[in-house]
Amino acid sequence: MTSHGVLSVALYCALLLAVVKPLGGYMARVYQGEARAARRVLGPLERGIYRVLRVDPDERMSWQTYARAALLFDVAGLVVVYVLQRVQGWLPGNPAGLGAVLPHSAFNTAVSFATNTNWQGYGGETTMSSLTQMVGLTVQNFVSAATGMAVLVALVRGFARRASSDELADAHLGSFWVDLVRSTLYILLPLSIVVALLLVSQGVVQTFGANASAALVEATTDVDGHRVTEQVIALGPAASQVAIKQLGTNGGGFFAVNSAHPFENPTPLSSFVELFAILIIPASLPYTFGKLLGDTRQGWALLAAMLVVFVPLLALTVSQEQAGSPALASLPVDQAASALQAGGNMEGKEVRFGIAGSALWATATTAASNGSVNSMHDSYTPLGGLAPMWLMQLGEVVFGGAGSGLYGMLAFAIVAVFVAGLMVGRTPEYLGKKIEAFEMKMAALVILIPPALVLVGTAVACATEAGRRGPSNASAHGFSEILYAFSSAGNNNGSAFAGLAADTPFYDTALAVCMWGARFWLIVPVLAIAGSLAKKKTVPRTAGTLPTHTPLFVAMLVATVVVVGALTFIPALALGPIVEHLLAHGASSARGGA
Amino acid sequence: MNASMPEGVTDARPPPTVVALASRALGMLAVLTLVTGLVYPLLITAAAAIAFPEEAGGSLIVEGGRVAGSRLVGQPFEDPRYFWGRPSATKPVAYNAGASAGSNLGPTSAALHRAAARRVDALRASDPQNAAPVPVDLVTSSASGLDPHITPAAAFYQAARVARARGIDEGRVRELVRAHVEGRTFGVLGEPRVNVLSLNRALDALAAAGSRAPAQPVR
């Protein structure tokens, strides 16, 4: 790693940690209904929404009702986004005159945005009208993130509920509608407005005008040999969508190449703002969690565990990319870093971001379940691409999605205290609640469903003709393209090794099934844990209680995450990136020897 | 209103039916669509139009009433008289700003090796005296296919060729490149870079100024 690379990484992590406490504390106040300044401005809107929809803000939902509300809300979003894409040709807000999206593609995109995955099987500027991008996709960017945050808050209430004499009354998890509205209005909306305006100032486009057409300085020819003198420049209301796609760990870009597009991410400063926006909410939520429990040390411990996994994988990606592309090793090409160039593996990267700015993004976007890109992961070196893939395969718990990352991590924490309990022969407990068979079963479901979707999906794709037609690269890298796609869909990330031709009926459907399963089969067991914990009495802390805020517990938790992730995925990774690394390495050393 | 009731009383109420929940879900989606899908983007668009009209509209370069390009989007160059940008993987024509795309070629791809080798050959054929290794950004395609920049190394690599093709002093071309180098933001973010379209337009302006008034120094 160059000194500039180290400096970039250190600066990013330091600034990120600096916002954890203020933002995390603010979010805790929002969910407790105590964010006074924000309520003065937006409170009338919040109360107005409740009045219009006749929502009782003090409604006490059981976990089953909470789960039903969340699922029905997301199904409603899915249906609306699907219909919108199918009829966009007849609706206004379509300056480029785009027609209906094909059914399988529209279905995939609807599931993708409703599940906070934001996998893009389509190219934004050539597929979606401005109206679809706004009313369909931007809305889902907000509400799918808000759903994840609401479910997390419900789980925290399950832990925090101190059962009183009247247990039945205390077993509720609050109102899904209130948590949804508060997450959207008080957290996502204000942050999005600030980020969107910062981005416009840097040159991210925000217009409803038609595409521009420019006269080329030097005329050129297209693939068919026709002379081309004009450059059509696609425009649109991008900044408003880009802000929330980053903040809500969504990742679905306005343009096909996402935040690599100069109009979606024009400068190093815009890139830093977007990169920062990826992680601020997932990194601050552990503090919110601690605050809501009344013990912030618990939150810091979870954040520490995330950082312990994140930083080494970040260092691996940055250093691998800086080392350069093996495909160019035998050519007279200068890949060394100097004062005049970043050097390294520049295929699929933009000059303004260079190696550090691209690799940092690739790691952050896959650690969080964001999935936006500012470089093409498919062209990363074998091990440089392995780190992002593995971060997704760990279950999107290292930061992870807004809300969903932390509830996934809490499932791992339950398993970690269970393992610790087995070691010392005590009934495990976490945060004052006994962990019993029911919680363990549900936590196991949360942890095992995503890998099952990823591995079965990859196997089906490799075993069928339709699946094998997808990869654009050959052999081991082709397998990596398939594995990456299912890892991304099965963990609601949404980034891609984009060489995979995924906009086919087979991939659109298979990936949609994975995205759907990974989102909703997880929300149900998570809320079941919350409901069960809410009914339990708090266990008094004794000398035999395992403290869960110590470095020892952080190490236990990291080991649980890494061991599960390694045992599940090393065989598959060995067939893809690891084999490719060995082939590239062997080939270059053979050339060197000859 | 329930807050004033004694604990437990509200649970006597039956849980809402699926139909009731579904209709509430649709209502909630409608209201939040209004707020986040219409009011929010329109608010940002209005604020952008007031505060940053040029940036919001694509940072277009307008010259004599015609759009000559965007400061943020690259254009294809193949003439030795111009600095060349990075290879572009967009279709059906390079630097198609209506359909951005990367090559997505993997790190061990033979196609990537061949494309880079062809590019090295093309660069060397345009400048046979230059035996220096080619800066990597000149042989690799960008992520967007629209990268407006090359590294300073890639610009200096081409300076001698451009100077010879235009019949001007290489020192002046290198000086022009130096004037177009943008450093890191705050000294730490991003990478040093040169905007190819700006640089080439400056070259053309230099030539135009030179032919109009040959005796005048260009300043």
Side-chain angles (χ1 to χ4, degrees):
Chain A
M1 235 197 278
T2 60
S3 59
H4 174 249
V6 174
L7 185 64
S8 307
V9 168
L11 178 75
Y12 180 69
C13 293
L15 282 176
L16 189 64
L17 286 174
V19 298
V20 164
K21 205 170 158 180
L23 181 59
Y26 169 73
M27 290 194 286
R29 289 197 297 282
V30 166
Y31 291 118
Q32 290 167 325
E34 289 167 5
R36 285 202 193 82
R39 294 193 85 175
R40 256 201 294 282
V41 182
L42 291 162
L45 181 57
E46 185 195 356
R47 287 190 294 276
I49 291 175
Y50 298 151
R51 208 166 307 130
V52 169
L53 297 175
R54 275 181 258 145
V55 167
D56 168 11
D58 298 311
E59 188 175 348
R60 305 167 148 223
M61 292 185 175
S62 66
W63 78 262
Q64 291 94 335
T65 306
Y66 203 102
R68 261 181 227 125
L71 294 187
L72 285 167
F73 181 71
D74 288 356
V75 170
L78 193 162
V79 172
V80 167
V81 174
Y82 179 82
V83 172
L84 208 52
Q85 291 176 82
R86 301 286 295 144
V87 302
Q88 67 176 12
W90 299 312
L91 296 177
N94 186 7
L98 298 165
V101 181
L102 289 174
H104 60 85
S105 180
F107 171 66
N108 179 283
T109 303
V111 173
S112 167
F113 277 73
T115 56
N116 195 243
T117 311
N118 303 44
W119 169 272
Q120 288 176 276
Y122 59 90
E125 63 269 52
T126 54
T127 315
M128 302 291 172
S129 75
S130 291
L131 186 82
T132 308
Q133 298 254 23
M134 266 176 24
V135 175
L137 305 187
T138 302
V139 172
Q140 287 304 313
N141 278 346
F142 275 98
V143 297
S144 67
T147 302
M149 293 159 79
V151 170
L152 170 71
V153 172
L155 176 60
V156 177
R157 287 201 190 104
F159 278 112
R161 199 69 72 201
R162 299 285 174 241
S164 67
S165 53
D166 195 342
E167 289 195 6
L168 201 67
D170 282 331
H172 72 91
L173 299 176
S175 164
F176 172 72
W177 309 121
V178 171
D179 293 336
L180 176 75
V181 168
R182 287 188 178 161
S183 303
T184 307
L185 290 189
Y186 293 127
I187 298 170
L188 297 171
L189 194 59
L191 285 174
S192 296
I193 291 172
V194 173
V195 170
L197 290 177
L198 274 174
L199 293 182
V200 178
S201 79
Q202 293 300 301
V204 177
V205 293
Q206 179 73 24
T207 171
F208 291 102
N211 292 344
S213 176
L216 289 173
V217 170
E218 182 192 336
T220 186
T221 48
D222 68 14
V223 282
D224 303 321
H226 300 128
R227 196 176 143 81
V228 177
T229 58
E230 292 279 313
Q231 183 182 43
V232 174
I233 301 178
L235 300 169
S240 53
Q241 188 180 328
V242 173
I244 183 60
K245 79 149 186 193
Q246 299 302 98
L247 286 163
T249 61
N250 296 286
F254 194 89
F255 297 102
V257 293
N258 210 287
S259 281
H261 197 293
F263 282 160
E264 199 159 323
N265 192 4
T267 66
L269 183 59
S270 69
S271 195
F272 194 80
V273 169
E274 291 181 25
L275 185 55
F276 199 55
I278 290 179
L279 282 189
I280 51 173
I281 290 179
S284 300
L285 279 172
Y287 186 83
T288 308
F289 163 78
K291 202 80 186 157
L292 291 174
L293 280 175
D295 182 0
T296 50
R297 294 173 310 175
Q298 303 293 345
W300 288 116
L302 294 175
L303 184 60
M306 294 174 178
L307 282 170
V308 167
V309 182
F310 178 66
V311 172
L313 288 170
L314 176 58
L316 174 69
T317 304
V318 177
S319 60
Q320 286 294 316
E321 292 310 295
Q322 191 65 61
S325 172
L328 308 180
S330 60
L331 294 171
V333 170
D334 182 6
Q335 300 195 69
S338 72
L340 295 178
Q341 67 165 12
N345 174 21
M346 284 300 289
E347 180 69 23
K349 295 191 182 69
E350 302 277 300
V351 166
R352 62 193 180 281
F353 309 137
I355 298 299
S358 302
L360 187 51
W361 185 301
T363 319
T365 195
T366 47
S369 80
N370 187 287
S372 64
V373 296
N374 77 346
S375 57
M376 294 296 127
H377 296 185
D378 209 347
S379 298
Y380 272 45
T381 60
L383 297 186
L386 179 144
M389 203 184 319
W390 200 49
L391 274 165
M392 297 189 294
Q393 291 165 346
L394 290 178
E396 289 298 6
V397 296
V398 178
F399 301 112
S404 61
L406 187 53
Y407 64 64
M409 191 54 136
L410 287 168
F412 273 103
I414 287 174
V415 173
V417 293
F418 175 76
V419 172
L422 287 182
M423 287 176 183
V424 294
R426 264 182 67 98
T427 311
E429 50 198 69
Y430 186 50
L431 308 172
K433 298 280 173 123
K434 272 210 168 73
I435 302 300
E436 290 166 301
F438 181 75
E439 288 78 27
M440 271 309 295
K441 280 183 201 154
M442 294 298 126
L445 278 181
V446 172
I447 289 171
L448 293 179
I449 284 170
L453 290 167
V454 173
L455 293 174
V456 172
T458 306
V460 169
C462 291
T464 54
E465 185 56 39
R468 285 195 301 268
R469 268 202 301 271
S472 63
N473 282 278
S475 67
H477 196 75
F479 176 76
S480 294
E481 288 184 337
I482 297 177
L483 180 63
Y484 195 102
F486 283 95
S487 301
S488 177
N491 291 286
N492 294 141
N493 181 277
S495 68
F497 270 15
L500 187 75
D503 199 9
T504 63
F506 171 80
Y507 277 107
D508 275 336
T509 312
L511 294 171
V513 168
C514 286
M515 292 188 274
W516 185 254
R519 179 72 167 179
F520 297 113
W521 292 355
L522 260 55
I523 281 183
V524 176
V526 164
L527 288 173
I529 294 175
S532 161
L533 291 176
K535 283 195 195 120
K536 291 190 182 193
K537 284 217 160 59
T538 306
V539 192
R541 191 182 295 273
T542 66
T545 308
L546 172 74
T548 50
H549 60 270
T550 57
L552 177 69
F553 180 73
V554 171
M556 282 278 311
L557 182 55
V558 168
T560 310
V561 172
V562 169
V563 168
V564 170
L567 287 179
T568 321
F569 284 105
I570 280 183
L573 290 170
L575 293 174
I578 295 174
V579 146
E580 193 185 18
H581 175 76
L582 296 175
L583 282 174
H585 219 66
S588 61
S589 58
R591 261 199 300 274
Chain B
M1 53 185 160
N2 289 317
S4 59
M5 290 186 185
E7 290 276 301
V9 170
T10 51
D11 289 276
R13 229 168 28 186
T17 62
V18 169
V19 175
L21 280 174
S23 74
R24 187 148 291 167
L26 279 173
M28 197 54 93
L29 187 62
V31 172
L32 291 180
T33 298
L34 203 65
V35 175
T36 64
L38 287 170
V39 174
Y40 160 70
L42 293 175
L43 180 84
I44 299 294
T45 310
I50 295 163
F52 310 105
E54 271 188 42
E55 288 83 352
S59 308
L60 300 176
I61 306 165
V62 182
E63 199 180 52
R66 278 199 38 78
V67 177
S70 164
R71 281 193 297 281
L72 298 178
V73 177
Q75 291 188 5
F77 290 101
E78 294 150 318
D79 191 311
R81 294 161 42 83
Y82 287 116
F83 283 89
W84 298 357
R86 303 187 59 194
S88 162
T90 61
K91 288 175 183 144
V93 61
Y95 288 89
N96 176 4
S100 54
S103 76
N104 289 309
L105 293 174
T108 53
S109 154
L112 174 61
H113 181 90
R114 280 196 302 273
R118 268 200 308 275
R119 179 76 172 178
V120 169
D121 292 345
L123 282 160
R124 295 210 154 164
S126 75
D127 187 11
Q129 289 108 310
N130 190 349
V134 183
V136 62
D137 58 304
L138 275 185
V139 305
T140 48
S141 55
S142 61
S144 62
L146 307 174
D147 197 341
H149 299 115
I150 52 177
T151 59
F156 287 123
Y157 174 87
Q158 302 181 67
R161 180 199 76 216
V162 170
R164 203 172 326 111
R166 286 182 174 257
I168 52 176
D169 179 38
E170 189 188 330
R172 273 178 83 187
V173 175
R174 294 180 75 91
E175 198 183 318
L176 199 63
V177 170
R178 263 191 292 278
H180 277 80
V181 171
E182 299 167 60
R184 291 187 170 126
T185 310
F186 311 134
V188 50
L189 302 181
E191 298 293 342
R193 59 207 182 275
V194 174
N195 186 306
V196 179
L197 180 60
S198 300
L199 180 59
N200 283 334
R201 285 170 50 82
L203 274 174
D204 281 351
L206 199 71
S211 62
R212 266 201 307 276
Q216 292 243 319
V218 182
R219 276 280 151 176

